[in-house]
């Protein structure tokens, strides 16, 4: 694997999920792969989970790690060509990137959307410059339009909770085997078990946020055949079809949440699909979209998910995120696992 | 050992000091303990000694280390509940802490006192949130009210200098054995040797500083049975009794310093014990408290100690801190040793 | 090797270049040397290449690395004596440096020229304090007047390209051996091959920059016997003779570039050699000094070099730096190699 940006980069999802479970059983199993290999993590933006989980995954694999905060302790980088560089940017990405590539074996890049120029953001300009000029395998640690390490971790988490529920049901069912084996209740349960309803719901926020997380989440859920994805958001927040791939959109949030097995809350700013001039804007501040217990009550005892960091009181109430159905912490813990699989694949391909 | 905050956490002090010396003889002796274990160091405040010595100690023990500067390159964290998070803090500690716990085996936390809310500070709110929510062993890298890695290093240092002095005296005494064996001078010397007079003295400073260092120093000296601790400071600077444990206070600084074997200088702001409304304030700017050669002259050829960083010209003069009796550098060097013992204990208990 | 500041510290250059090639063939060959040894990298100024390449080199050698950004996440340091420290600097270098020395085996220091006090800068005050007070081997990661890791990498690069050119020419010459063996063309070619013309040329910049890079470049080129160094710059930019060691200066840039095999472009502010009151000033903003294709056209198919970061449009045009004769990336890549040799030497001498 030379790049990790889209779900197609990881290949067969069943195989990837199996590898994730294998690594979760023994995080140090592939430690020999990283010997004398160096990961360079480049942050153009802040990070907590990605910073920690990626370092941890790399160290699990025996790699050396160098962390570079580009706008703190390093040069600011020019990204345009044909510029007389007499401002505050003392180096051009076209020099900086190949140089960075000299001193490492694999590169992770975090570079958020600027949210002012849709074309620039959706062309993944910075990420693609790293791919083109670094000469090294590159993976996205959240870029302008995607956050695949998060989406992969989300998928791992959904699989784990759905599977464990399946296991529980199965044992419960086993007790009733003789009397219930042939009745239709079993069929219904099985049907539900095999295809969880996953609802990606927009929620309000005080700042304009990128679409990277919902884009990747939609893309990965659609790629996972056994997930029934529904997306709900106010009018104007339609995600880019290249990511949603025809997923069902339901503008009535409560209706969308009915019977949901997983509720994935996230804010995003206007993707500018229908009205490009609105790109990056906040179109709605309706606090009725905040996920509270009334929202969760209409689900099928649904699990609450969020990529974190989450603004309490805006995205979700204290009660829901601290409640027994919140799985945001195990979801975050799986970031170490998703990243381990990605780095393992990249190391194998060096 | 699951937490390291107070002197009682380390158990028997004789044993801890013996381990310190064992590790000082061979810093890499317990390197196998840290294999595939990760230390996460979380800094809410600046650090030099703690940052370096803790990393060094962890690497001596074979651990991986991740350093996180929370207010530089990471999210600002909300610490209150029931807040609508629409300000500059994009994540709540109640999510951030369990997440941090996911990616490591041991956590060190630096979080200074705010000095505006005594109750909040003395409840060790931030530290206790880490203990409660991270799911991992936690040690203080200076928190609101304690700095036990420093106090342990101070104790190691006092023991080393006192012991080496004892050794010298003993050999000198041996030469005079026949004539002096039974006279009272020997008794006096022995008495002094067995119980050094250690004076913790307040000194002036241009900024309001926390009480963490003097608190822990007093606590550890009182716990070490063979130390004669005297504390001296202007009226109103009384330390919290939970740390001083009945230690003698002498408000006349020169009187306190008479015959001192070790002079431990430190500034602190008002602990608010007698007048809570003065908590965190600067009550005294009297430069006569600055430790100079005249102060040192009344001691028993006393050693000068300070936890560093030290403001010259305020706490101590150039002459004293650069003089032959200044042991601030070996004292700082012992930070690697005290931290090594703490991490070893935590690794053994994983 | 206890210090690495000047070209004389590395000893015989032929031997140093041979070690560089040996390490480039197998970067991990000397990994046993760094076991349980810790490099402390101290940055008073920003860094990209030095930060990454030095970490990489240290990890190649099996060392542990601690990176300290002094003005970000650590204390600001006082450097003067006899000061009442009641300002924003909470620690004196005279404590901080010995303390830093406690927690590591080798120290790298980055500390740029302030460009306001020539005497202070050219005395290498900060660097020499580290050498004097840290108790550990110290190397310059660009200091007030020198950047030897860069100059060593530059020399490695020039040798590699000159040698490969020599090899090509030799094989071409072999074909003509019988007819040309004794004619004067061969002699001229050989003469050129054995002694490349290297031109260090000043170029304009929007900010006042230190002289560290041109100082070290001149010093190293002069020490390398088989290099023909010419320096070109506007009047008033004369470099300090302690570094140029009598190198030829040609004030006509185009004349200097004629027949050049290597063009080393760099801006620097006034070194204050002829007029000390001009130290650190920008004396010339003449954009005709920018290296463009017209400049390169008069060279002997010369290679373009720059230490990076480079301001495009000021120092060099897009066309030249992106052109086939630009070797700035392999030059930067050799930073890992030069640093590996230096650290290897220092580890061997511990």
């Amino acid at each position: 694997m030379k790049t990790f940006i889209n779900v197609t980069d990881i290949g067969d999802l069943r195989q990837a999920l199996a590898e994730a479970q294998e690594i979760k059983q023994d995080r140090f199993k592939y430690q020999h792969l990283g010997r004398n290999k160096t990961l360079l993590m480049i942050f153009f933006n802040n990070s907590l989970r990605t910073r920690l989980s990626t370092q941890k995954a790399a160290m699990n694999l025996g790699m050396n790690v160098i962390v570079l905060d580009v706008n703190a302790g390093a040069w600011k980088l020019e990204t345009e060509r044909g510029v007389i560089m007499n401002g505050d940017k003392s180096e051009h990405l076209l020099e900086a990137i190949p140089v960075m590539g000299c001193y490492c074996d694999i590169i992770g890049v975090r570079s958020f959307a600027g949210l002012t120029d849709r074309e620039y953001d959706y062309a993944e300009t910075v990420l693609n410059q790293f791919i083109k000029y670094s000469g090294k395998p590159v993976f996205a640690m959240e870029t302008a339009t995607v956050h695949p390490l998060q989406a992969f971790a989300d998928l791992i988490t959904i699989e784990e909770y759905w599977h464990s529920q399946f296991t529980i049901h199965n044992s419960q069912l086993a007790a009733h085997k003789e009397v219930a084996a042939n009745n239709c209740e079993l069929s219904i349960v099985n049907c539900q078990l095999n295809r969880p309803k996953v609802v990606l719901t927009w929620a309000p926020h005080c700042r304009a946020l990128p679409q990277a997380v919902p884009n990747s989440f939609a893309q990965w859920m659609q790629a996972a055949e056994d997930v029934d994805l529904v997306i709900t958001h106010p009018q104007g927040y339609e995600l880019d079809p290249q990511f949603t791939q025809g997923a069902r959109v339901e503008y009535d949030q409560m209706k969308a949440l009915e019977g949901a097995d997983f509720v994935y809350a996230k804010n995003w700013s206007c993707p500018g699909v229908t009205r490009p001039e609105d790109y990056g804007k906040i179109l709605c501040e309706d606090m009725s979209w905040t996920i509270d217990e009334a929202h969760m009550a209409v689900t099928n005892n649904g699990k609450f998910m969020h990529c974190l960091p989450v603004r309490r009181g805006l995205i979700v109430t204290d009660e829901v995120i601290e409640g027994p159905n919140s799985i945001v912490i195990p979801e975050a813990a799986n970031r170490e696992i998703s990243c381990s699989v990605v780095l393992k694949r990249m190391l194998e391909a060096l």
Side-chain angles (χ1 to χ4, degrees), chain A:
Chain A
M1 193 161 59
K2 292 297 183 192
T3 57
F4 179 66
I5 303 160
N6 292 303
V7 67
T8 49
D9 293 320
I10 200 80
D12 181 71
L13 278 181
R14 282 288 125 211
Q15 174 59 27
L17 287 165
E19 272 179 56
Q21 288 310 320
E22 182 194 29
I23 285 175
K24 197 160 183 174
Q25 294 306 313
D26 178 4
R27 287 159 205 245
F28 308 106
K29 182 170 183 178
Y30 295 99
Q31 199 159 66
H32 57 283
L33 289 177
R35 183 172 154 72
N36 287 337
K37 303 300 181 194
T38 299
L39 168 65
L40 175 59
M41 297 167 62
I42 300 170
F43 291 96
F44 291 88
N45 303 91
N46 281 347
S47 172
L48 174 65
R49 263 151 297 280
T50 299
R51 183 181 294 265
L52 300 183
S53 63
T54 307
Q55 283 187 71
K56 183 65 161 61
M59 299 188 303
N60 289 351
L61 287 158
M63 300 186 79
N64 294 318
V65 181
I66 301 178
V67 178
L68 184 69
D69 287 294
V70 174
N71 291 327
W75 316 108
K76 291 196 183 187
L77 300 176
E78 177 62 61
T79 56
E80 304 295 325
R81 283 190 78 250
V83 171
I84 295 180
M85 291 168 55
N86 54 8
D88 68 338
K89 293 175 179 171
S90 58
E91 179 149 30
H92 199 286
L93 268 184
L94 292 178
E95 275 77 61
I97 291 176
V99 165
M100 293 174 192
C102 292
Y103 308 133
C104 64
D105 301 283
I106 295 173
I107 296 177
V109 178
R110 163 157 291 201
S111 174
F112 289 173
L115 294 182
T116 54
D117 180 343
R118 186 183 203 279
E119 197 175 347
Y120 182 88
D121 288 346
Y122 272 71
E124 284 287 2
T125 310
V126 174
L127 178 66
N128 281 319
Q129 286 173 320
F130 274 91
I131 292 169
K132 187 169 179 186
Y133 297 111
S134 73
K136 295 293 158 71
V138 173
F139 65 96
M141 304 195 299
E142 188 174 342
T143 56
T145 66
V146 292
H147 196 358
L149 289 170
Q150 180 65 50
F152 186 11
D154 295 334
L155 182 60
I156 294 169
T157 309
I158 287 170
E159 283 286 315
E160 287 175 344
Y161 278 85
W162 191 245
H163 180 71
S164 73
Q165 186 176 335
F166 179 77
T167 308
I168 293 162
H169 277 234
N170 250 5
S171 66
Q172 290 173 336
L173 289 171
H176 301 283
K177 209 174 186 178
E178 289 180 19
V179 294
N182 296 311
N183 71 14
C184 88
E185 192 186 324
L186 179 61
S187 308
I188 291 166
V189 169
N190 268 340
C191 170
Q192 288 179 335
L193 290 175
N194 289 333
R195 210 168 147 77
K197 180 176 179 181
V198 175
V199 179
L200 166 62
T201 176
W202 182 92
H205 201 277
C206 54
R207 296 194 180 173
L209 297 189
Q211 298 100 42
V213 168
N215 283 347
S216 285
F217 186 76
Q219 188 190 54
W220 283 69
M221 290 305 118
Q222 288 294 79
E225 293 165 10
D226 46 4
V227 169
D228 175 23
L229 176 67
V230 178
I231 305 176
T232 181
H233 52 70
Q235 292 281 350
Y237 279 97
E238 290 74 18
L239 294 166
D240 194 304
Q242 69 173 297
F243 296 108
T244 54
Q245 297 279 335
R248 180 153 62 96
V249 176
E250 169 56 63
Y251 292 97
D252 181 333
Q253 187 191 27
M254 291 305 277
K255 195 170 167 190
L257 292 172
E258 278 173 20
D261 297 294
F262 296 89
V263 176
Y264 195 92
K266 182 75 186 86
N267 173 269
W268 61 92
S269 63
C270 175
V273 170
T274 47
R275 286 169 49 95
E277 64 271 30
D278 283 344
Y279 176 63
K281 288 187 183 164
I282 294 176
L283 303 180
C284 173
E285 297 181 316
D286 181 355
M287 297 286 279
S288 77
W289 285 79
T290 302
I291 302 297
D292 61 12
E293 291 184 324
H295 288 77
M296 295 304 288
V298 304
T299 68
N300 181 32
N301 194 29
K303 302 293 182 189
F304 177 80
M305 300 179 73
H306 190 281
C307 61
L308 306 183
V310 67
R311 301 254 183 174
R312 293 175 172 217
L314 295 172
I315 300 290
V316 61
T317 60
D318 289 336
E319 289 69 30
V320 169
I321 199 167
E322 295 180 11
N325 275 22
S326 171
I327 57 173
V328 295
I329 304 304
E331 179 187 0
N334 277 331
R335 293 290 307 277
E336 179 183 336
I337 306 305
S338 67
C339 189
S340 295
V341 174
V342 169
L343 287 174
K344 168 183 175 280
R345 296 278 188 97
M346 288 193 155
L347 286 168
E348 287 171 338
L350 282 182

